[in-house]
Amino acid sequence: MDRTIYLDHAATTPVDPRVVEAMLPYFTESYGNPSAVYRLGQHSHEALIIAREQVATVLNARADEIIFTGCGSESDNLALRGVFFAYRHKGNHIITCSIEHPAIINTCRQLAEVFGAEITTLPVDGHGRVDPTAVEAAITPRTVLVSIMYANNEVGTIEPIADIGRIAHEHGVLFHTDAVQAGGQLPLNVDALNVDLLSLSAHKFYGPKGVGMLYLRRGTHLLPTLTGGGQERGFRSGTENVPYIVGLATALTLAYQDRQAKNRKLIAMRDRLIQGVLSSIADAHLTGHPTERLPNSASFCFDGVPADALLVNLDLAGIAASSGSACHAGSFEPSSVLTAMGIPRERALGALRLTLGNDNQPQDIDYVLNVLPGIIARLRHG
Ligand code: PLP
């Protein structure tokens, strides 16, 4: 192996060189504070205007509905806390689901424990899907927000968010979606998706880490969680990170330029990988939805295989992958996403997530299918 086959694009992606090139001038040449009156500041200000318009174009939104943030987690925090505190007069109830990212789950937990929020955590089915009728049944007169992710980060399942958003709106309730994993792969037309708030993070679509954005539909109230000089229309104070915002906007624009062609290539590789794994390895199980899944996402459980040893062996073979398990104080716990889907604990301990990217080639899939069965057999039989 003379190179790493990188199959962890759901964790992060390499920055596209064209994105780096677009960012560079804003570090050393056009470094002015966008709030300054002199021309150097105005150059930065103009870069922000262009970036905001580029993002709005991809989302079919208006430029003044885009709030730049420091990451996807911050966008989720701002959406949940911001709506909860702005709509306290109306109610304290938030509806979410059991397989959300910790940025949602832990924010809901804190809102409940410290601020008296009432949280309904909806279950998912065996494929990781939320039932829109369960959302409807959970809505009460005190519900202020429904937050359901667009696509899951561990199993790639795509949620029926347009239906969920429609139902929320029929009941006069706001709808937020964490689209961090969907960004770059799935359509982001905010009107078609029936969303009022939508979170993205640049490092999932070949942009830099440490910059995100929140779409906020015009007329929706939000109490800022970061107060100060009033940047981002008062919703997110702090001097704007111009190079990174330019990076996010450039990466998002590039991702949506030939999205369908890229997705076709990803889907072909993904499906060959899934079929190859399931047909060559006994007691291998696909996790997540068989068809309603992200173009780049293949995820499995292997009975009797410890995920930590599997990842180490794959790394030794030159393959960078991940599992859903989290290491807590030295002992491996199964992923809460997998157990919420009804996968037994023992099976969930053998989870593997392979997420493809634009840099992968069909021969990468050949290589994985070549080495994975042998690694699994060794781990099962010593
Ligand atoms: N939401 C989802 C679904 C994610 O997968 C991630 C990152 O893995 C995040 C939120 C957090 O994004 P960030 O790393 O930019 O904070």
Side-chain angles (χ1 to χ4, degrees):
M1 279 308 303
D2 54 358
R3 74 174 181 105
T4 296
I5 294 180
Y6 184 70
L7 293 177
D8 202 15
H9 292 83
T12 197
T13 56
V15 183
D16 187 315
R18 293 169 294 180
V19 172
V20 177
E21 203 180 315
M23 292 169 68
L24 281 176
Y26 297 97
F27 288 105
T28 50
E29 293 161 31
S30 243
Y31 52 82
N33 188 315
S35 301
V37 290
Y38 40 76
R39 273 170 298 166
L40 199 57
Q42 290 312 300
H43 283 156
S44 299
H45 182 66
E46 280 155 25
L48 282 183
I49 291 176
I50 293 169
R52 212 179 295 283
E53 273 166 6
Q54 286 175 320
V55 173
T57 301
V58 172
L59 272 62
N60 187 34
R62 300 184 181 102
D64 65 4
E65 296 173 312
I66 307 301
I67 304 168
F68 292 115
T69 66
C71 59
S73 300
E74 185 189 326
S75 303
D76 286 345
N77 273 258
L78 179 58
L80 265 56
R81 280 208 191 85
V83 166
F84 178 76
F85 288 116
Y87 288 85
R88 264 187 143 173
H89 59 280
K90 186 186 170 214
N92 66 341
H93 181 221
I94 296 175
I95 299 171
T96 184
C97 80
S98 56
I99 62 166
E100 293 289 326
H101 188 272
I104 298 290
I105 291 181
N106 290 334
T107 305
C108 284
R109 187 170 295 151
Q110 193 204 55
L111 286 174
E113 286 173 4
V114 184
F115 300 102
E118 203 188 307
I119 308 291
T120 297
T121 306
L122 295 173
V124 294
D125 67 15
H127 293 144
R129 296 259 287 183
V130 174
D131 178 358
T133 62
V135 175
E136 182 153 42
I139 292 174
T140 75
R142 295 185 61 74
T143 309
V144 289
L145 182 69
V146 174
S147 179
I148 301 290
M149 69 200 324
Y150 196 168
N152 180 264
N153 43 304
E154 285 186 32
V155 294
T157 296
I158 300 169
E159 301 296 342
I161 63 160
D163 290 342
I164 294 171
R166 181 181 43 77
I167 288 169
H169 289 167
E170 281 166 8
H171 292 268
V173 173
L174 295 170
F175 179 50
H176 165 252
T177 192
D178 174 343
V180 169
Q181 286 295 334
Q185 295 188 66
L186 303 184
L188 289 180
N189 182 327
V190 289
D191 289 337
L193 295 176
N194 298 323
V195 297
D196 302 298
L197 304 101
L198 178 146
S199 306
L200 287 177
S201 178
H203 75 102
K204 309 293 187 180
F205 46 82
Y206 307 91
K209 297 167 189 59
V211 60
M213 72 110 233
L214 179 68
Y215 160 78
L216 177 70
R217 188 174 289 280
R218 227 184 238 189
T220 310
H221 299 295
L222 200 64
L223 192 81
T225 51
L226 199 52
T227 49
Q231 289 89 346
E232 297 299 293
R233 293 175 36 251
F235 289 119
R236 203 275 186 182
S237 287
T239 302
E240 300 89 338
N241 191 346
V242 180
Y244 280 62
I245 289 169
V246 167
L248 180 148
T250 307
L252 193 68
T253 304
L254 289 170
Y256 281 82
Q257 263 168 13
D258 47 0
R259 182 180 66 89
Q260 276 157 342
K262 283 185 290 204
N263 278 353
R264 273 195 295 276
K265 187 182 160 209
L266 289 170
I267 288 170
M269 288 193 289
R270 176 200 72 185
D271 288 349
R272 205 159 65 76
L273 180 59
I274 291 174
Q275 291 318 320
V277 167
L278 296 181
S279 62
S280 65
I281 301 174
D283 299 318
H285 312 271
L286 180 71
T287 54
H289 200 281
T291 53
E292 291 298 310
R293 59 188 306 133
L294 287 172
N296 76 334
S297 177
S299 55
F300 309 91
C301 283
F302 301 102
D303 293 344
V305 176
D308 51 345
L310 176 56
L311 296 185
V312 171
N313 277 271
L314 284 171
D315 187 33
L316 290 173
I319 299 167
S322 78
S323 84
S325 305
C327 188
H328 298 297
S331 71
F332 266 80
E333 283 302 315
S335 140
S336 58
V337 169
L338 298 180
T339 51
M341 288 163 54
I343 296 173
R345 184 177 187 281
E346 284 308 311
R347 179 169 292 171
L349 286 169
L352 176 67
R353 179 184 74 177
L354 301 171
T355 44
L356 304 158
N358 298 336
D359 43 346
N360 289 125
Q361 299 301 328
Q363 49 275 31
D364 297 343
I365 307 303
D366 299 334
Y367 179 71
V368 174
L369 292 176
N370 224 354
V371 300
L372 186 61
I375 293 174
I376 300 275
R378 266 204 316 282
L379 290 172
R380 277 179 176 158
H381 308 297

